[in-house]
Amino acid sequence: MMVTVSEKPVVPAQAHDLNTSGRSRRRRRRVHGGKIVWSIVTHVLLILITLFAIAPLAWAMSSAFKTNSEILTGLNFFPRNPTWDNFAFVLGSTEFPTWLRNSLLVAFGTTFLALIIGSLGGYAMSRWRYRGRALYGNTLLIVQMFPGVMLAIPLFLLLSDYGLIDTLWALLVTYLTFALAFSVWMLKGYFDAIPREIEEAALIDGANRMQILWRIVLPLAGPGITTVAVFTFLLAWNEFFFAYVFLASPGKYTLSIGMYSFIQQFTTQWGNIMAAGTLTTLPVLIFFFVLQRALTRGLVSGAMKG
Amino acid sequence: MSLEETQVQTAGTHQRPYIQAPSGKGRMRAHIRKHAMPYLLILPSLLFLVAIEFYPLGVGLLEAFKYHNRVQPWATQYNGIDNFVKAFNDHTVRIALRTSFVMVFGIVGLSYLLGLLSGVLLNQRLRLRGVYRALILIPWVAPPVVSFISWQWMLNDQSGIINRILINLGIIGEFDPILWLADPTLAMVSIIVVGTWSRFPFMMITVLAALSAIPDDLNEAAAVDGATPFQTFRHITFPLILPVSVIATLLQAIWVFNDFGLPFVLTGGGPANATTPLILLAYKEAFQRFNIGYGTSLAVISMVLMLALGAVYLRLQAKQQGEMS
């Protein structure tokens, strides 16, 4: 850039012009130097922020591979004698595998149902104007502001009455309901973008609305489905409060409750706790990194909608 | 769905009734079909909303006006606004409310600033941009319990890495650890730092999304006019991302106010009640002291506060959507 500036033939028509171009050249050089400094500053700041962001989980993961003595004395980040012992202990001698199974059941069940029920609602929001439409849409948003504790106390009483307390079903229906706002609004947005002509053609060919939704609209809303699926999965996988309130017996725990019970049980065996934490986090991170782009785009617009 | 199959007519959208409805009985059926369909579609979600949100909410609202203690269920009875009167005179509630507000202001404020900074930094043509962004988003997707447990360990005054590093650097004495979680003030600081950590990535992507919607020529025009980058940011960029920022901040305030996991896992609300926000106090009353009635009334108080914020949020949301379309 500097080269082009100096090579640019300056026509000395007027002294005034010459003067300004000289000034602008100096200025550009300064700006360019400033750019390098700014880029260094940018990277330094971003590295610091990134370190802050990843520190706790990075530390947890590195500790998961350390021996107990190294954990208690060492300051090093990378394990000196990496060991699988902590993982072996967690997977072999605790109820972790059961919790993993429970979490998978709840998360996949919630995701599956949220997609079905959410796409029905989203389709109604996208293709029809009807009395109560705005009320329905706003209700979905408003219920998200209900404090969990407000719902948890009566839900606990109700679910106890129906014998559903301490079951995974209790979590499934609760998470499903919480995921509805996002799924309905998100999928509505994706359905809106699908041209109606396709459906009209199918209608003329004699397809009914449900067939159109399942066979034509949903396949076309693929990225929306992915976003809703991952979001719902994360919600169910990460949720702590309701699981803590609803589940009583260790055999029913999901991973987040299991993790919490670990710090009660193995207070100082950080290696084991961190191995469990690593195993709990890993599926989420893999999911996230694979689908990162679609996910962040979807989640931002979804969050901004509700 | 058999009716549907015979029906090729006006099951279309509100905007385009593309085929004329037949006359007579068929039209009647078409009319019902057309108007019933959206309600059938939203029915399942409505059922869950009623069963899991509104019915419990109603029960909860009633509970808030009851004396109901699970230890003495026979004594359950309506007691008017006694619970609320008790709450307003309860010193712990006042402290919890203050804690809630300190948490909300601290966490939302700091996470917005940090999110804004990261967003602005990442909104440049930059090497490793995607890598930074992905890594910074980790706190947002990772299971909160795992993160908070890890933080709890890092902040532990005996075995935590932070104190051990400080001792190693000679900044603090070996027998004089900083009580990150055991000192009332520091515990609050720790809560705010960890809360900021868990919340700022959301702010960052929100800011980033808003920034990417600003056309480049706007900034270029400002630069041509001789504005410094700071002036451009202050007078052009920031006003443009302000609406989205306000909404994100409001949402975040609601989430932080309702956040149970952070204080519960990180400090357990302690030492004493120093880091117990209202939401945690409601939980403790209801589930640890079995005061269902009183606990619910505290939850109702926090809900009313949040609904006020929520109303503002919906208003702004509607306003912004109106502007966009």
Side-chain angles (χ1 to χ4, degrees):
Chain A
M1 188 185 164
M2 298 254 297
V3 179
T4 44
V5 170
S6 55
E7 272 175 1
K8 206 175 189 174
V10 179
V11 186
Q14 285 172 353
H16 177 72
D17 267 11
L18 195 68
N19 202 1
T20 28
S21 79
R23 209 159 60 203
S24 87
R25 194 186 307 163
R26 259 202 312 279
R27 180 161 164 180
R28 260 181 228 196
R29 191 173 300 146
R30 211 166 53 225
V31 168
H32 192 82
K35 254 188 185 156
I36 294 174
V37 173
W38 175 244
S39 137
I40 292 172
V41 171
T42 299
H43 280 283
V44 169
L45 285 174
L46 280 174
I47 288 170
L48 288 177
I49 295 171
T50 308
L51 283 179
F52 176 56
I54 65 173
L57 286 171
W59 183 244
M61 286 185 183
S62 90
S63 305
F65 293 94
K66 287 176 188 165
T67 58
N68 248 342
S69 63
E70 194 179 353
I71 280 178
L72 290 177
T73 54
L75 291 172
N76 50 311
F77 178 76
F78 294 102
R80 270 186 225 105
N81 312 302
T83 164
W84 291 101
D85 289 357
N86 296 318
F87 292 97
F89 176 80
V90 166
L91 290 173
S93 318
T94 69
E95 289 196 78
F96 190 90
T98 316
W99 304 337
L100 181 67
R101 195 204 59 153
N102 292 346
S103 271
L104 286 171
L105 278 176
V106 173
F108 277 115
T110 309
T111 307
F112 182 67
L113 289 175
L115 278 177
I116 292 180
I117 296 178
S119 53
L120 295 178
Y123 197 46
M125 286 289 283
S126 169
R127 291 298 195 254
W128 280 272
R129 296 276 133 156
Y130 46 93
R131 200 167 295 168
R133 179 178 179 274
L135 182 68
Y136 172 69
N138 280 337
T139 304
L140 283 171
L141 299 185
I142 282 281
V143 294
Q144 288 186 299
M145 322 219 165
F146 293 177
V149 173
M150 176 78 224
L151 298 174
I153 301 168
L155 264 180
F156 178 84
L157 299 176
L158 291 172
L159 292 166
S160 311
D161 289 347
Y162 290 105
L164 281 174
I165 214 71
D166 200 20
T167 67
L168 297 178
W169 286 108
L171 292 186
L172 189 87
V173 292
T174 311
Y175 297 165
L176 171 63
T177 312
F178 293 157
L180 279 179
F182 181 81
S183 352
V184 168
W185 276 99
M186 190 78 215
L187 289 168
K188 174 205 175 284
Y190 277 90
F191 294 161
D192 282 346
I194 298 171
R196 285 144 198 268
E197 284 75 13
I198 302 175
E199 289 160 69
E200 287 164 15
L203 268 176
I204 291 167
D205 288 346
N208 69 43
R209 275 284 166 185
M210 294 317 273
Q211 290 170 329
I212 291 174
L213 176 58
W214 299 129
R215 305 234 177 99
I216 300 172
V217 175
L218 276 186
L220 286 173
I225 304 277
T226 313
T227 313
V228 171
V230 174
F231 174 82
T232 315
F233 188 90
L234 287 185
L235 181 144
W237 188 268
N238 287 350
E239 209 281 334
F240 173 72
F241 175 62
F242 284 91
Y244 187 71
V245 171
F246 291 165
L247 303 176
S249 42
K252 295 282 166 51
Y253 284 178
T254 53
L255 282 174
S256 52
I257 308 309
M259 278 300 298
Y260 187 73
S261 78
F262 264 171
I263 58 168
Q264 251 79 354
Q265 207 180 335
F266 309 110
T267 10
T268 51
Q269 296 175 37
W270 292 106
N272 296 333
I273 296 172
M274 293 306 146
T278 304
L279 290 172
T280 306
T281 314
L282 224 48
V284 170
L285 289 189
I286 292 171
F287 241 154
F288 174 67
F289 282 121
V290 171
L291 300 165
Q292 200 230 122
R293 237 157 241 288
L295 202 62
T296 39
R297 203 181 324 121
L299 284 181
V300 171
S301 60
M304 289 333 308
K305 259 180 242 143
Chain B
M1 285 300 134
S2 61
L3 192 65
E4 175 84 73
E5 274 147 27
T6 61
Q7 202 72 54
V8 194
Q9 294 84 6
T10 51
T13 62
H14 60 285
Q15 281 165 339
R16 293 180 211 178
Y18 27 85
I19 298 177
Q20 277 301 310
S23 56
K25 208 175 156 197
R27 190 155 98 194
M28 189 67 199
R29 269 158 61 184
H31 184 81
I32 293 171
R33 164 103 278 134
K34 181 180 165 186
H35 290 276
M37 195 63 190
Y39 296 106
L40 287 176
L41 290 173
I42 63 173
L43 187 66
S45 40
L46 277 182
L47 287 178
F48 278 101
L49 283 180
V50 169
I52 306 295
E53 305 264 10
F54 287 101
Y55 184 53
L57 186 74
V59 173
L61 286 176
L62 293 180
E63 286 289 334
F65 296 94
K66 276 182 194 167
Y67 177 83
H68 181 179
N69 191 317
R70 276 173 90 77
V71 180
Q72 32 182 178
W74 60 88
T76 305
Q77 57 170 355
Y78 283 98
N79 63 355
I81 57 164
D82 284 7
N83 288 333
F84 293 94
V85 174
K86 186 180 165 196
F88 282 112
N89 294 320
D90 191 340
H91 189 58
T92 350
V93 172
R94 237 170 288 158
I95 292 187
L97 206 51
R98 210 194 58 189
T99 308
S100 285
F101 281 110
V102 172
M103 271 176 65
V104 168
F105 279 107
I107 294 172
V108 174
L110 284 178
S111 66
Y112 181 69
L113 287 179
L114 194 55
L116 183 67
L117 176 67
S118 337
V120 169
L121 289 174
L122 280 176
N123 192 42
Q124 313 175 71
R125 240 170 259 127
L126 200 69
R127 212 175 293 182
L128 297 176
R129 187 168 172 245
V131 177
Y132 286 129
R133 201 185 56 177
L135 290 176
I136 291 176
L137 285 175
I138 285 182
W140 182 53
V141 287
V145 178
V146 176
S147 320
F148 296 155
I149 288 175
S150 183
W151 270 110
Q152 195 206 44
W153 181 34
M154 292 189 357
L155 291 166
N156 186 299
D157 43 54
Q158 299 299 323
S159 63
I161 186 68
I162 296 176
N163 270 355
R164 273 163 50 203
I165 289 176
L166 291 178
I167 289 171
N168 215 265
L169 292 174
I171 294 172
I172 55 173
E174 194 167 345
F175 303 106
D176 191 19
I178 299 179
L179 305 174
W180 295 111
L181 299 172
D183 173 83
T185 317
L186 281 178
M188 197 65 214
V189 172
S190 300
I191 288 253
I192 290 177
V193 169
V194 176
T196 304
W197 173 86
S198 74
R199 302 282 171 183
F200 90 94
F202 173 80
M203 292 296 199
M204 179 195 77
I205 35 166
T206 315
V207 167
L208 212 47
L211 284 173
S212 62
I214 300 175
D216 282 343
D217 21 334
L218 228 95
N219 291 328
E220 279 162 23
V224 168
D225 286 348
T228 64
F230 180 74
Q231 282 173 324
T232 315
F233 178 77
R234 215 193 127 204
H235 296 289
I236 295 174
T237 318
F238 189 69
L240 282 171
I241 61 170
L242 191 62
V244 173
S245 303
V246 171
I247 290 175
T249 312
L250 268 176
L251 265 183
Q252 199 75 275
I254 293 170
W255 292 339
V256 173
F257 197 93
N258 287 336
D259 193 349
F260 167 88
L262 171 64
F264 186 73
V265 176
L266 195 68
T267 61
N273 268 337
T275 55
T276 303
L278 191 59
I279 211 79
L280 186 53
L281 188 66
Y283 168 84
K284 284 180 174 172
E285 283 292 342
F287 290 102
Q288 290 176 355
R289 300 191 197 109
F290 306 105
N291 266 323
I292 301 275
Y294 188 50
T296 321
S297 75
L298 297 182
V300 168
I301 294 174
S302 49
M303 192 181 70
V304 170
L305 290 171
M306 282 313 95
L307 283 181
L309 267 187
V312 179
Y313 159 69
L314 279 183
R315 258 218 132 106
L316 290 171
Q317 188 73 46
K319 207 172 123 196
Q320 211 198 2
Q321 272 178 353
E323 274 164 17
M324 281 194 306
S325 57

